[in-house]
Amino acid sequence: MRAAPRPEPPRAPPTGDKPLIREAAADSRRNLLVFHCHDLGQHLRCYGVATVRTPHLDAFAASGIRFARCYCAAPSCSPSRAALFTGRYPHTNGVMGLAHSTFAWDLHPGERHLAACLRDAGYATCAVGVVHETHRSPLALGYEEHVPQGYAAQATDAAIARLPGLRASGRPFYLYVGAIEPHRLGYPAAPGRTPGDSGFPGPHLEPDDVDGVQVPPYLMNTPGTRAEMAGLQGAVRHVDAQFGRLLAALEAEHLADETLVVFTTDHGIAMPRAKCSLYEPGLLVALILRLPGRAGWQGGGVRAEMTENIDLLPTVLEALEVTLPDGLQGRSLAPLLDGRAAAHRDLVFAEMTYHDYYDPRRSVRDARHKLIANFTTAPAFMDPSQQWRPVSDTVVPTNHATAYHPHLELYNLDEDPWEQRDLASDPAHAAARDRLAAQLYAHMLETADPLLLGAVVSPHHDAAVAALRSAAASAPGE
């Protein structure tokens, strides 16, 4: 039973000037190919992970543009994707938790998805694989076709099979490919494995430790952690191979020179204190793009400016000469890439409200510091291990079962890049804490964050209340 949809809040005004874009003739427009995978973070060799083998993505970065400091709006699957494809923060677009099953979060009525923007501009729109930002059919977002093949290899097969038809359609096209890997995947029951546990690399793949494993400094270097990292590397290598196949097919169809290609992910890797956290490993994501024939959009450049994934939609639409929708909170990266701007963002905001459970947090970071505001006394971090007995442990806290959120956390990212030392209660850092707290509060006010009004109720809550009311109305009188 579904609760009635909530009214949509007023659309927040855009940040920055909206570019004036002339609608280009359909036959002169570039195509768009977006390859999106689950839970990757920046776990690629071209992002400095020396032990993971990603030759195709490394080569793509060497021919395109890699964003070194791109942050997702939320370290949770559906909220991050909703932000990416609407250019608006999760608390604004309505997806403040997972969209599937009884979680049931969905975009507010009237939200403009990238697929709808391009469909309405004359593009053929096709989605293959994981579309996780709606509880409805992907066709409701603006895709004209959806092929539900979530595994990377099968999704790539389906995408390749559609390229000839898209090329022959006479329209520019938008092809989205969503792979579930390297998300943790369920394993069958086996000795030493609790039924229902999920892990890496998935039962259809093999771990990869040919070049060893690189354990992130926020995790304890234990046999369990090393085994999980090897499994993760196997899944990432598999995704890389599928991306390579798709690019080769694009070349074979003579489409590469007229297609803007984007590779990205939703949030950090599914390890403790990464995914489902507002720490750097949870928020930093891979973003690599290539637009042949346009200076600044190709050639192996690396952009070190802070960017957010909500910036992708306005960037893509401006590049494709499609009019931007009103109310965007993302800022186009086109001026930066074209050399028309020297800077992009001074502040980056991120949020989490729901994932597995209600754990509302908001964060802001500048060039040096990050402040996190925690709105409940939940555990210190939400563990994304999907295992009854997680096998990887964090360095801080040493026992997360007994550690809970403080009101505020403050980290000096220059001196403490892995956010191991909370400075919020240190009087020597009070000025930085208060400055960032004021900036975060102003952002929440400006964007009408519902947390300022109290606890946020989930669709699951609404559905349970509706079920009780329905049962009470139909129950026989005593």
Side-chain angles (χ1 to χ4, degrees):
M1 182 178 297
R2 297 291 309 280
R6 296 174 186 159
E8 179 184 7
R11 293 177 69 85
T15 54
D17 295 331
K18 178 179 175 180
L20 298 175
I21 299 174
R22 175 183 58 84
E23 293 281 0
D27 59 2
S28 70
R29 285 186 182 154
R30 303 295 186 95
N31 307 308
L32 174 64
L33 171 63
V34 175
F35 193 106
H36 189 288
C37 62
H38 256 299
D39 298 13
L40 178 77
Q42 294 187 338
H43 206 76
L44 303 171
R45 185 165 290 198
C46 60
Y47 276 93
V49 184
T51 58
V52 66
R53 295 191 288 170
T54 51
H56 300 97
L57 282 161
D58 298 343
F60 179 60
S63 66
I65 300 296
R66 178 172 66 84
F67 291 86
R69 293 200 295 167
C70 182
Y71 290 84
C72 62
S76 176
C77 310
S78 300
S80 176
R81 291 162 188 257
L84 177 73
F85 290 114
T86 65
R88 286 154 57 84
Y89 291 107
H91 71 261
T92 304
N93 65 42
V95 183
M96 289 183 282
L98 297 172
H100 67 284
S101 187
T102 57
F103 297 107
W105 288 93
D106 214 329
L107 293 166
H108 288 306
E111 288 292 325
R112 295 284 289 165
H113 191 279
L114 175 62
C117 294
L118 292 176
R119 178 203 60 197
D120 293 349
Y123 275 68
T125 57
C126 177
V128 177
V130 179
V131 177
H132 200 200
E133 59 268 24
T134 182
H135 192 67
R136 298 164 291 161
S137 163
L139 303 184
L141 301 177
Y143 292 110
E144 297 168 327
E145 181 185 15
H146 175 234
V147 185
Q149 293 282 2
Y151 287 98
Q154 289 78 12
T156 301
D157 288 342
I160 291 172
R162 275 152 182 79
L163 285 176
L166 290 170
R167 178 173 56 81
S169 71
R171 294 191 288 165
F173 66 80
Y174 165 38
L175 177 59
Y176 164 83
V177 183
I180 193 168
E181 298 97 337
H183 194 285
R184 290 175 180 266
L185 297 172
Y187 279 79
R193 186 180 290 276
T194 303
D197 271 2
S198 295
F200 300 121
H204 62 302
L205 299 174
E206 295 295 327
D208 183 10
D209 59 357
V210 169
D211 291 337
V213 293
Q214 184 171 319
V215 176
Y218 59 91
L219 295 176
M220 295 182 67
N221 192 340
T222 63
T225 303
R226 291 193 294 273
E228 289 214 295
M229 297 305 296
L232 172 63
Q233 290 184 169
V236 173
R237 184 187 180 199
H238 177 69
V239 169
D240 176 80
Q242 308 318 308
F243 181 73
R245 287 203 301 127
L246 186 56
L247 287 192
L250 200 69
E251 289 278 0
E253 290 292 334
H254 307 290
L255 291 167
D257 288 343
E258 55 194 71
T259 302
L260 168 59
V261 178
V262 177
F263 176 88
T264 192
T265 186
D266 43 11
H267 46 66
I269 61 175
M271 296 293 278
R273 224 168 183 266
K275 177 181 178 178
C276 296
S277 86
L278 298 184
Y279 304 117
E280 297 288 282
L283 298 178
L284 282 167
V285 294
L287 175 60
I288 311 169
L289 61 79
R290 183 182 69 193
L291 181 57
R294 186 160 174 173
W297 297 64
Q298 59 176 332
V302 178
R303 305 302 311 213
E305 295 87 354
M306 292 193 300
T307 60
E308 297 188 27
N309 69 346
I310 60 172
D311 299 333
L312 184 64
L313 179 139
T315 303
V316 164
L317 293 183
E318 185 170 353
L320 299 180
E321 300 183 67
V322 174
T323 301
L324 277 62
D326 294 328
L328 291 179
Q329 293 163 326
R331 305 175 184 177
S332 175
L333 298 165
L336 196 67
L337 295 173
D338 291 334
R340 294 181 279 122
H344 186 63
R345 288 184 180 275
D346 297 323
L347 299 172
V348 165
F349 298 96
E351 64 187 76
M352 183 161 153
T353 307
Y354 283 87
H355 188 78
D356 290 339
Y357 55 82
Y358 186 54
D359 189 7
R361 287 167 273 162
R362 301 292 186 261
S363 71
V364 58
R365 70 151 294 170
D366 60 17
R368 186 177 186 186
H369 292 93
K370 179 190 287 181
L371 180 110
I372 301 173
N374 300 296
F375 293 82
T376 64
T377 50
F381 61 87
M382 188 182 292
D383 194 334
S385 297
Q386 295 182 279
Q387 297 168 329
W388 179 244
R389 297 175 179 84
V391 297
S392 297
D393 295 308
T394 58
V395 176
V396 174
T398 54
N399 184 349
H400 69 83
T402 60
Y404 299 94
H405 287 320
H407 294 132
L408 300 177
E409 301 172 59
L410 177 70
Y411 299 97
N412 184 322
L413 298 170
D414 285 346
E415 300 174 0
D416 179 25
W418 300 106
E419 295 150 301
Q420 304 289 282
R421 299 186 299 278
D422 180 4
L423 305 173
S425 61
D426 186 339
H429 298 275
R433 179 199 63 210
D434 293 347
R435 181 186 72 253
L436 286 172
Q439 290 168 326
L440 178 57
Y441 183 64
H443 167 77
M444 295 176 71
L445 283 172
E446 180 184 357
T447 59
D449 193 324
L451 273 185
L452 293 179
L453 302 178
V456 175
V457 176
S458 73
H460 191 108
H461 174 104
D462 291 342
V465 172
L468 292 174
R469 286 176 177 161
S470 176
S474 61
E478 296 185 5

